[in-house]
Amino acid sequence: PAGLRRWIDPMVRQILTNRFYCGEIVFGAERRVLDPRTGRVKIERTAPSNRLIAKGAHQPLWDKHTQVRIDNEFKARGKSYSGQRTHRLSNLLYCGVCHARVHVGYWSGSHYAGPDDENRMWHCSADRQHVNLYDSDLLPRVIAELVDALRHVDDFQLPVLEDKKPLLSNALADIHAQRDRLTDAYLSGVLGLPEYTKRAVGLDARLAELENKLSDSDAAISRRREQATLLAGLVAAIESVPDFVLSAPEQEVNARLRAWVGRIYISPEHIEIEFR
């Protein structure tokens, strides 16, 4: 187990269920996908129906019959490790030194044991020397910083979004008028079909672009209103925030915090909250 003190459950499961070790080769088990949010390429596993299995030329470590017994044993035991879970504050924590993402690790434990797992740690994804903190130590500090920010909520303002609806609506009406005039010119014989088609395609593309921008603008304003309402609710119930962050379902905690918190930069020395 390179870099670890022991073999952990997920790695053992991956080895025992890897068809390569019983002499098979699987093509298309994974695919590279570009994450548009981060610009990074990530690996995703494909559905079994999209994979091609063939017999390999290598020497297997066990035969096909043994592989079937291994698979059946896993089914009989159940799946004690159910894969990656949502962790409290996941996708919110970043390294305070290099601003890289911070992820969860289990150096002292074997697998995820629930939201109160004392083995859970947070590590900088770029350099573990930057951040290497137990969740039990980090969470109270983050909560204290959140509460302090809520107590001084008047010191910062959510950015005011410009209402672009009037401008976009006027531009949309102008393009519609141009489209109507173009149709009239074609029907009156002023324009031939090729020229009409060329101009119509350009105007239709512009119409679609403006309609998308108008929809995005409405959605952004709606989200900002929801943020303001949520923030006001948290401020009004500020005394219950620590208990909420500690005890509420992890998905609910993350969803409510992400509505107004962009990033939380952590380091052994300080916590810094960046608001949306």
Side-chain angles (χ1 to χ4, degrees):
L4 302 175
R5 293 194 295 269
R6 55 175 295 183
W7 290 102
I8 58 177
D9 293 357
M11 184 59 68
V12 174
R13 174 182 290 275
Q14 289 175 18
I15 292 174
L16 292 177
T17 57
N18 189 338
R19 315 299 297 187
F20 182 86
Y21 297 115
C22 72
E24 295 180 346
I25 296 178
V26 180
F27 298 94
E30 298 177 338
R31 66 191 184 105
R32 296 166 63 87
V33 179
L34 177 65
D35 188 340
R37 298 170 300 176
T38 63
R40 297 180 179 179
V41 175
K42 60 182 180 179
I43 305 298
E44 288 186 353
R45 295 190 64 79
T46 60
S49 59
N50 294 331
R51 302 172 189 173
L52 178 63
I53 301 177
K55 184 178 180 179
H58 60 285
Q59 181 67 32
L61 296 184
W62 52 78
D63 58 22
K64 186 68 176 290
H65 177 68
T66 301
Q67 184 65 57
V68 172
R69 292 178 58 196
I70 290 173
D71 294 341
N72 289 339
E73 182 67 21
F74 271 118
K75 292 178 182 178
R77 294 188 182 195
K79 194 173 182 181
S80 60
Y81 173 76
S82 56
Q84 184 176 356
R85 301 293 190 95
T86 296
H87 299 286
R88 202 176 308 277
L89 305 182
S90 62
N91 292 327
L92 281 169
L93 299 180
Y94 289 78
C95 176
V97 179
C98 67
H99 292 188
R101 282 187 178 272
V102 176
H103 60 78
V104 167
Y106 290 91
W107 288 95
S108 301
S110 57
H111 59 77
Y112 178 87
D116 298 323
D117 189 351
E118 295 182 355
N119 295 317
R120 179 161 57 189
M121 300 184 72
W122 294 95
H123 308 289
C124 172
S125 58
D127 188 337
R128 294 194 179 189
Q129 297 299 320
H130 293 169
V131 173
N132 196 32
L133 298 171
Y134 276 103
D135 188 64
S136 56
D137 296 329
L138 175 66
L139 200 53
R141 294 172 55 197
V142 172
I143 291 173
E145 193 69 24
L146 284 170
V147 171
D148 183 67
L150 291 172
R151 293 190 190 282
H152 299 86
V153 69
D154 292 335
D155 294 343
F156 71 91
Q157 294 288 333
L158 292 175
V160 177
L161 294 180
E162 178 187 357
D163 187 359
K164 299 180 180 179
K165 188 172 183 178
L167 183 63
L168 292 172
S169 297
N170 291 337
L172 201 59
D174 182 59
I175 298 297
H176 274 297
Q178 291 183 46
R179 188 68 170 80
D180 291 341
R181 290 195 297 270
L182 181 67
T183 301
D184 291 341
Y186 169 69
L187 293 176
S188 64
V190 175
L191 288 178
L193 181 60
E195 182 65 19
Y196 166 77
T197 302
K198 178 181 178 181
R199 295 188 184 185
V201 167
L203 288 175
D204 289 344
R206 181 59 178 157
L207 281 172
E209 179 185 356
L210 287 172
E211 287 171 350
N212 288 335
K213 287 183 177 180
L214 187 60
S215 176
D216 291 343
S217 178
D218 288 341
I221 292 174
S222 177
R223 286 194 301 269
R224 184 49 47 86
R225 289 171 180 165
E226 292 176 1
Q227 285 179 316
T229 300
L230 176 58
L231 189 56
L234 289 172
V235 172
I238 191 171
E239 300 302 329
S240 65
V241 169
D243 183 63
F244 167 74
V245 175
L246 286 171
S247 306
E250 295 175 311
Q251 294 89 340
E252 182 181 350
V253 172
N254 292 346
R256 293 188 67 178
L257 290 181
R258 288 179 192 142
W260 61 285
V261 174
R263 294 185 176 190
I264 302 176
Y265 293 104
I266 65 173
S267 72
E269 295 79 20
H270 69 279
I271 306 290
E272 179 183 349
I273 299 177
E274 180 181 279
F275 300 100
R276 290 187 181 276

